[in-house]
mmCIF file of all heavy atoms in Angstrom:
data_model
loop_
_atom_site.group_PDB
_atom_site.id
_atom_site.type_symbol
_atom_site.label_atom_id
_atom_site.label_comp_id
_atom_site.label_asym_id
_atom_site.label_seq_id
_atom_site.Cartn_x
_atom_site.Cartn_y
_atom_site.Cartn_z
ATOM 1 N N SER A 305 5.678 165.612 -124.381
ATOM 2 C CA SER A 305 6.319 166.530 -123.569
ATOM 3 C C SER A 305 5.976 167.993 -124.063
ATOM 4 O O SER A 305 5.640 168.956 -123.304
ATOM 5 C CB SER A 305 7.871 166.345 -123.663
ATOM 6 O OG SER A 305 8.659 167.445 -123.191
ATOM 7 N N MET A 306 6.061 168.237 -125.340
ATOM 8 C CA MET A 306 5.806 169.602 -125.929
ATOM 9 C C MET A 306 4.356 169.961 -125.627
ATOM 10 O O MET A 306 4.148 171.185 -125.179
ATOM 11 C CB MET A 306 6.092 169.483 -127.467
ATOM 12 C CG MET A 306 5.701 170.902 -128.142
ATOM 13 S SD MET A 306 6.810 172.191 -127.616
ATOM 14 C CE MET A 306 8.333 171.680 -128.398
ATOM 15 N N PHE A 307 3.429 169.221 -126.001
ATOM 16 C CA PHE A 307 2.065 169.605 -125.897
ATOM 17 C C PHE A 307 1.403 169.556 -124.507
ATOM 18 O O PHE A 307 0.374 170.107 -124.285
ATOM 19 C CB PHE A 307 1.180 168.832 -126.887
ATOM 20 C CG PHE A 307 1.415 169.153 -128.344
ATOM 21 C CD1 PHE A 307 2.271 168.401 -129.185
ATOM 22 C CD2 PHE A 307 0.933 170.331 -128.954
ATOM 23 C CE1 PHE A 307 2.521 168.724 -130.438
ATOM 24 C CE2 PHE A 307 1.187 170.736 -130.205
ATOM 25 C CZ PHE A 307 1.977 169.878 -131.008
ATOM 26 N N CYS A 308 2.097 168.858 -123.562
ATOM 27 C CA CYS A 308 1.533 168.673 -122.266
ATOM 28 C C CYS A 308 2.373 169.497 -121.292
ATOM 29 O O CYS A 308 2.122 169.473 -120.075
ATOM 30 C CB CYS A 308 1.458 167.194 -121.873
ATOM 31 S SG CYS A 308 0.291 166.216 -122.895
ATOM 32 N N ASN A 309 3.470 170.104 -121.704
ATOM 33 C CA ASN A 309 4.227 171.120 -121.003
ATOM 34 C C ASN A 309 4.840 170.344 -119.745
ATOM 35 O O ASN A 309 4.847 170.874 -118.696
ATOM 36 C CB ASN A 309 3.307 172.237 -120.429
ATOM 37 C CG ASN A 309 4.201 173.347 -119.961
ATOM 38 O OD1 ASN A 309 5.179 173.680 -120.556
ATOM 39 N ND2 ASN A 309 3.647 174.006 -118.903
ATOM 40 N N VAL A 310 5.518 169.224 -120.072
ATOM 41 C CA VAL A 310 6.217 168.484 -119.061
ATOM 42 C C VAL A 310 7.608 168.172 -119.713
ATOM 43 O O VAL A 310 7.647 167.920 -120.864
ATOM 44 C CB VAL A 310 5.470 167.219 -118.572
ATOM 45 C CG1 VAL A 310 4.205 167.613 -117.889
ATOM 46 C CG2 VAL A 310 5.229 166.283 -119.724
ATOM 47 N N PRO A 311 8.616 168.072 -118.910
ATOM 48 C CA PRO A 311 9.936 167.749 -119.462
ATOM 49 C C PRO A 311 9.973 166.320 -120.018
ATOM 50 O O PRO A 311 9.274 165.475 -119.740
ATOM 51 C CB PRO A 311 10.939 167.739 -118.186
ATOM 52 C CG PRO A 311 10.142 168.595 -117.164
ATOM 53 C CD PRO A 311 8.703 168.401 -117.509
ATOM 54 N N PHE A 312 10.763 166.153 -121.021
ATOM 55 C CA PHE A 312 10.926 164.880 -121.739
ATOM 56 C C PHE A 312 11.209 163.703 -120.760
ATOM 57 O O PHE A 312 10.473 162.717 -120.953
ATOM 58 C CB PHE A 312 12.152 165.004 -122.805
ATOM 59 C CG PHE A 312 12.407 163.751 -123.528
ATOM 60 C CD1 PHE A 312 11.706 163.379 -124.684
ATOM 61 C CD2 PHE A 312 13.321 162.772 -122.985
ATOM 62 C CE1 PHE A 312 11.851 162.251 -125.367
ATOM 63 C CE2 PHE A 312 13.556 161.620 -123.709
ATOM 64 C CZ PHE A 312 12.790 161.275 -124.924
ATOM 65 N N ASP A 313 12.040 163.901 -119.827
ATOM 66 C CA ASP A 313 12.265 162.799 -118.828
ATOM 67 C C ASP A 313 11.162 162.576 -117.854
ATOM 68 O O ASP A 313 11.107 161.496 -117.101
ATOM 69 C CB ASP A 313 13.545 163.170 -117.989
ATOM 70 C CG ASP A 313 14.781 163.202 -118.742
ATOM 71 O OD1 ASP A 313 14.835 162.531 -119.861
ATOM 72 O OD2 ASP A 313 15.745 163.861 -118.407
ATOM 73 N N ALA A 314 10.158 163.416 -117.839
ATOM 74 C CA ALA A 314 9.020 163.209 -116.969
ATOM 75 C C ALA A 314 7.858 162.466 -117.685
ATOM 76 O O ALA A 314 6.709 162.454 -117.149
ATOM 77 C CB ALA A 314 8.532 164.576 -116.520
ATOM 78 N N VAL A 315 7.977 162.129 -118.973
ATOM 79 C CA VAL A 315 7.049 161.323 -119.770
ATOM 80 C C VAL A 315 7.429 159.828 -119.490
ATOM 81 O O VAL A 315 8.406 159.330 -119.995
ATOM 82 C CB VAL A 315 7.126 161.673 -121.248
ATOM 83 C CG1 VAL A 315 6.087 160.794 -121.952
ATOM 84 C CG2 VAL A 315 6.775 163.132 -121.447
ATOM 85 N N ILE A 316 6.748 159.216 -118.538
ATOM 86 C CA ILE A 316 7.069 157.836 -118.156
ATOM 87 C C ILE A 316 6.212 156.742 -118.888
ATOM 88 O O ILE A 316 4.919 156.852 -118.799
ATOM 89 C CB ILE A 316 6.913 157.743 -116.686
ATOM 90 C CG1 ILE A 316 7.654 158.901 -115.830
ATOM 91 C CG2 ILE A 316 7.242 156.297 -116.105
ATOM 92 C CD1 ILE A 316 9.091 158.722 -115.870
ATOM 93 N N GLU A 317 6.918 155.848 -119.413
ATOM 94 C CA GLU A 317 6.122 154.730 -120.101
ATOM 95 C C GLU A 317 5.825 153.732 -119.152
ATOM 96 O O GLU A 317 6.591 153.286 -118.233
ATOM 97 C CB GLU A 317 7.102 154.054 -121.157
ATOM 98 C CG GLU A 317 6.570 152.826 -121.695
ATOM 99 C CD GLU A 317 7.587 152.056 -122.617
ATOM 100 O OE1 GLU A 317 7.931 152.696 -123.744
ATOM 101 O OE2 GLU A 317 8.013 151.068 -122.256
#
Side-chain angles (χ1 to χ4, degrees):
S305 170
M306 174 68 68
F307 288 102
C308 295
N309 197 36
V310 296
F312 177 85
D313 291 340
V315 179
I316 306 294
E317 176 188 288

